[in-house]
Amino acid sequence: MGGGDLLSILIQTIKSKMTGLVTKFKLYTNWNFVKNKIIVKLRDFFANLLGVKPRDKYDYFTVGRWMFSKRLLYALVIIVGVVSIWYISTETSLFKRFSEEGVPTYKYNSFRLRTAKGHVKITGKGGYLAYDGAVENGYVQGIGTLYNREGNIVYIGNFDQNKYEGTGTYNYDSGNIKYYGNFHENLYDGDGTLYREDGTRVYTGGFARGLKNGSGVLFDTGENEIFRGTFANDEIVYSELLGKSVSEINDCYKGHRDLYTTTTESVGVMNSIGALYHASLDEEALDDEEKVDAVYVLADKFSHSGSQVNTISSLTEIFGDPVYKGNSNVILPEAVAINLVNEKKSALHGSVNMDLDYSFSDVAEVKSYDRNYVVYITSFQRGDIIYSFVSGADDDIFSFYYIEGGEDDST
């Protein structure tokens, strides 16, 4: 046997002896192992402390006629001590963390936060700064700033008992502004402005319960005004346009439009708001100007009380029995609406054939159109307004709807 073999045997023997020591070292330095050992020791200690019954009078403290178990009192002292140390380390000013400005900082579930008053900072789960502002009687109250985990501002403004209340700014997750204005119980309520994430305005005007409500203005992506009018439940009140002259419509709608004309009528497509109007001469009007007698909404959903429905059967539950339903030959505004809907998706019997003569790119004279094209109309009446929904004869789902009737002050 050579010297090399002897050396190899020696090394293998040493390694086999050291393996056990290394394994034990790793085990004893593992935090989970140490933690479990400590927990077991503490559990056994308290079990022994509380589980052994007093055997004679020397295991009691005597106070007058009363006798108290020494072990029980020792246990209570230890428990009180542990709780006190925890409380002091997390809640009292001795260990309380302060920001550079000297503002007290509390954890989101801190007991003492319930009694704090004035300017504080609150950390969320995970330790990030969640709130910087005023608190009172356990509530976020007054002016403050709310942050997300990424450090971006979620909301800055007035609070009332942990809710957005009064004037404030609400942001996208990125930190860019989404809304500035009035709040009530966390919802947009009152006057305010909605923004796109790139900072351009979408809408400015009235809100109620988080939805556009009242007078307001819509803007396109270039912040050009496209519509000024009345809103309800986040939707334009299209019936407000009924009875207006074309010039009055021009004052309301500033966006791009296409115009289809004949010798007796015109159809104006308000592309930016997904609607069109039909106007004809009012023989009784002194100004000899076309008046809007119908507004077509190019949507296959109808908004009602904050929700949307898309079937004739659902509309019957809302309006009651229809005042009319049946097939009808298409009329000019219906033909234009059908063709616009079919530009986005196949609907009804497809597009309506039309012979058009364009004098400008957005103005067409209608020479003729397929009047034999048949649609199925279901009409309901509410007050002075008639709502008509256009569908196929056997379809419960409608493709668009239009409204008729009413005067200048219709809503």
Side-chain angles (χ1 to χ4, degrees):
M1 182 179 292
D5 294 334
L6 289 173
L7 180 60
S8 178
I9 292 171
L10 177 61
I11 291 173
Q12 291 296 328
T13 303
I14 294 173
K15 288 176 66 177
S16 64
K17 294 293 185 182
M18 292 296 293
T19 300
L21 293 174
V22 172
T23 302
K24 287 184 179 180
F25 177 77
K26 289 182 177 179
L27 180 63
Y28 292 145
T29 56
N30 181 276
W31 167 241
N32 288 329
F33 175 80
V34 174
K35 181 175 67 174
N36 289 335
K37 284 288 187 182
I38 293 173
I39 292 173
V40 170
K41 291 292 185 183
L42 288 172
R43 185 183 63 196
D44 292 343
F45 170 75
F46 283 109
N48 291 332
L49 187 64
L50 298 173
V52 179
K53 295 181 179 180
R55 291 167 294 180
D56 53 44
K57 64 180 181 179
Y58 298 106
D59 289 330
Y60 289 95
F61 287 117
T62 303
V63 180
R65 296 181 178 181
W66 299 92
M67 297 180 69
F68 300 94
S69 169
K70 291 181 179 180
R71 289 182 179 273
L72 180 59
L73 289 175
Y74 292 154
L76 290 175
V77 169
I78 292 173
I79 292 171
V80 171
V82 170
V83 172
S84 299
I85 292 172
W86 170 81
Y87 180 81
I88 291 172
S89 65
T90 58
E91 302 294 340
T92 67
S93 59
L94 181 62
F95 293 99
K96 190 188 301 177
R97 293 188 300 127
F98 282 81
S99 67
E100 294 180 358
E101 298 82 10
V103 178
T105 302
Y106 299 90
K107 294 181 180 179
Y108 73 99
N109 57 354
S110 170
F111 177 78
R112 285 203 53 183
L113 182 58
R114 300 177 186 178
T115 60
K117 184 176 182 179
H119 186 190
V120 304
K121 293 186 177 183
I122 302 174
T123 57
K125 191 174 182 179
Y128 71 96
L129 177 62
Y131 176 75
D132 183 355
V135 297
E136 184 176 352
N137 298 327
Y139 291 105
V140 171
Q141 185 82 20
I143 298 176
T145 305
L146 190 67
Y147 298 87
N148 60 20
R149 289 180 176 274
E150 289 70 37
N152 297 322
I153 295 175
V154 175
Y155 172 84
I156 180 169
N158 286 283
F159 290 83
D160 182 29
Q161 295 191 350
N162 295 340
K163 295 180 180 179
Y164 309 152
E165 191 73 33
T167 304
T169 300
Y170 183 76
N171 294 338
Y172 291 97
D173 291 341
S174 62
N176 295 332
I177 185 171
K178 184 174 184 179
Y179 171 83
Y180 171 76
N182 291 315
F183 289 81
H184 178 57
E185 294 184 344
N186 285 340
L187 299 175
Y188 313 150
D189 202 292
D191 292 331
T193 301
L194 276 175
Y195 296 85
R196 299 176 183 87
E197 196 159 5
D198 64 3
T200 58
R201 288 177 295 172
V202 176
Y203 168 84
T204 185
F207 289 84
R209 304 301 298 168
L211 304 175
K212 302 182 194 76
N213 208 84
S215 299
V217 181
L218 288 174
F219 301 89
D220 64 15
T221 54
E223 278 207 328
N224 301 302
E225 180 182 324
I226 57 176
F227 180 78
R228 179 184 296 268
T230 304
F231 295 77
N233 294 320
D234 232 26
E235 300 285 342
I236 294 171
V237 181
Y238 292 102
S239 59
E240 187 185 52
L241 304 179
L242 294 173
K244 291 185 181 297
S245 66
V246 172
S247 60
E248 288 174 323
I249 294 294
N250 293 338
D251 291 335
C252 297
Y253 178 74
K254 304 290 186 181
H256 179 264
R257 104 182 49 220
D258 292 310
L259 187 63
Y260 298 81
T261 66
T262 70
T263 56
T264 59
E265 59 185 334
S266 64
V267 176
V269 181
M270 300 177 286
N271 308 83
S272 301
I273 61 172
L276 58 88
Y277 63 82
H278 176 261
S280 56
L281 289 175
D282 184 352
E283 297 179 356
E284 297 181 359
L286 299 177
D287 56 7
D288 196 33
E289 189 173 6
E290 288 184 326
K291 302 290 184 180
V292 172
D293 53 31
V295 177
Y296 289 68
V297 182
L298 305 179
D300 57 4
K301 293 180 175 60
F302 179 77
S303 296
H304 175 72
S305 299
S307 62
Q308 294 186 320
V309 298
N310 64 349
T311 63
I312 302 298
S313 54
S314 297
L315 292 167
T316 303
E317 294 179 3
I318 295 171
F319 290 106
D321 293 334
V323 295
Y324 172 82
K325 59 181 180 179
N327 289 317
S328 174
N329 288 350
V330 72
I331 58 176
L332 177 60
E334 290 172 348
V336 174
I338 289 168
N339 288 351
L340 290 172
V341 169
N342 273 277
E343 288 178 1
K344 297 182 178 179
K345 65 177 183 179
S346 179
L348 301 170
H349 311 300
S351 298
V352 180
N353 292 325
M354 302 184 74
D355 181 13
L356 304 175
D357 182 14
Y358 283 93
S359 55
F360 298 97
S361 61
D362 54 359
V363 179
E365 181 183 354
V366 181
K367 296 291 188 179
S368 65
Y369 63 93
D370 183 7
R371 298 175 183 270
N372 293 321
Y373 190 108
V374 177
V375 293
Y376 193 85
I377 307 294
T378 305
S379 299
F380 303 90
Q381 185 163 359
R382 174 168 289 178
D384 294 331
I385 307 298
I386 295 176
Y387 298 82
S388 297
F389 298 83
V390 180
S391 64
D394 299 323
D395 292 340
D396 191 37
I397 297 175
F398 60 88
S399 295
F400 61 90
Y401 68 95
Y402 59 95
I403 55 178
E404 301 173 284
E407 303 297 334
D408 290 358
D409 59 351
S410 297
T411 57

